[in-house]
Amino acid sequence: MLRTLSVVCSLPFLASLAVLMVNDLILKAAFPGWITGKLSDVAGIAMVGMLSTALAPSRRFLRFTAIGMGFLWWKSPASSPFIEWVNAQHWVEFGRVVDYTDLVALAILPWCDRLAREKTAEPMSWPLWRRLLAVPATGLTLLGLVGTSAIPTRQTYEIRDVSSSEAMRREDVVAAILAVAAKHSLACRQACDRPTEEQRLEGRGMWLIYRFVGPKAVSIEVSAFPGAIFVGSSGFQRADAVRQDIRAEFAARFKGLEYAEPLSPPR
């Protein structure tokens, strides 16, 4: 117990936890790409590796094999039935991208093993500080490891002009969408030079994608990471606020529009 507590309260472990949480809550949404996609995997494997050393320091080969096989299973289609079963229980929704290049994160295990051994060999200094830090560090560790695979909430709907045979004026539609995006601090990240075709607007762990799907309709998708586990409102609440503002903005600017949503409820 003391050995595990020593690792959980160590600076390398807490740094890995901080990287995992900041990357999942902020960086992935602000800077989507290869680096932020792999950073959470590296930080998560580092935490699991250090914990495994604290729990079973003398069984290095067995630990590395178990972590490697478990991570391979999670990143492969073989884990899909389990994920579907968990999601069907409606406790919490998980998701992951099948990407075998994520296995590169396993290369950090030897370094984590050595680091954890050094920390468990150290005496438990500052006993009171360690006790106070143990509970929040353990709780955040569980939330961090679970949250990295949480599915962002997603809402999709379509707005159509049913008032006349004339095409929608796309510039006016774009102006209405951008007004709502500005209210929620969403800035254009993709297709910024094609506003009358499509755009992706992002900010604060949320993104809005719109596409014109004909002369008289625009499709809108709003997604948000489930940040309520740690701070702020939930992803669903934030996405729903954007949806309501879009409805209000379009109702104020246009007449004769039809607002269509999918039959299944949004996640």
Side-chain angles (χ1 to χ4, degrees), residues 28-264:
K28 277 185 178 180
F31 308 102
W34 189 89
I35 294 178
T36 53
K38 297 291 183 286
L39 195 57
S40 290
D41 292 321
V42 173
I45 289 294
M47 293 166 62
V48 172
M50 285 186 273
L51 281 175
S52 72
T53 301
L55 294 171
S58 62
R59 300 185 178 182
R60 176 172 173 172
F61 177 78
L62 182 61
R63 288 187 287 105
F64 283 13
T65 301
I67 294 172
M69 295 300 293
F71 194 52
L72 174 61
W73 171 80
W74 179 252
K75 288 295 180 178
S76 74
S79 61
S80 295
F82 171 76
I83 294 173
E84 292 171 1
W85 178 82
V86 172
N87 291 343
Q89 309 310 308
H90 303 293
W91 301 324
V92 65
E93 287 194 57
F94 289 101
R96 57 86 184 86
V97 177
V98 175
D99 185 356
Y100 294 113
T101 64
D102 291 342
L103 298 176
V104 70
L106 294 171
I108 202 172
L109 280 175
W111 177 78
C112 296
D113 184 72
R114 179 175 62 84
L115 205 58
R117 288 178 184 277
E118 293 175 356
K119 293 303 174 184
T120 55
E122 294 178 359
M124 287 285 288
S125 58
W126 303 340
L128 179 59
W129 171 252
R130 296 291 178 111
R131 291 193 191 99
L132 292 175
L133 194 60
V135 173
T138 302
L140 288 175
T141 297
L142 294 174
L143 290 175
L145 292 174
V146 170
T148 189
S149 298
I151 297 178
T153 185
R154 180 176 292 108
Q155 299 184 2
T156 59
Y157 34 92
E158 191 171 291
I159 300 174
R160 309 172 189 142
D161 185 352
V162 296
S163 63
S164 67
S165 60
E166 297 180 1
M168 298 174 68
R169 181 174 165 79
R170 294 191 174 188
E171 290 79 3
D172 296 338
V173 173
V174 172
I177 294 174
L178 293 182
V180 175
K183 180 178 178 180
H184 292 270
S185 302
L186 305 179
C188 184
R189 299 293 185 186
Q190 292 181 14
C192 300
D193 59 336
R194 304 197 309 273
T196 56
E197 298 177 19
E198 62 178 353
Q199 278 191 343
R200 178 185 176 108
L201 304 111
E202 300 179 6
R204 297 168 59 186
M206 181 165 54
W207 61 96
L208 182 156
I209 301 172
Y210 72 84
R211 295 183 181 91
F212 286 92
V213 291
K216 301 188 65 177
V218 58
S219 172
I220 299 175
E221 175 185 310
V222 180
S223 302
F225 284 105
I229 293 177
F230 304 105
V231 292
S233 57
S234 71
F236 177 81
Q237 289 173 325
R238 287 180 288 143
D240 198 55
V242 172
R243 180 173 66 93
Q244 297 295 340
D245 286 344
I246 285 178
R247 294 193 67 163
E249 190 71 26
F250 272 77
R253 292 177 180 238
F254 306 100
K255 303 297 182 183
L257 295 183
E258 179 181 67
Y259 189 90
E261 296 190 42
L263 293 176
S264 57

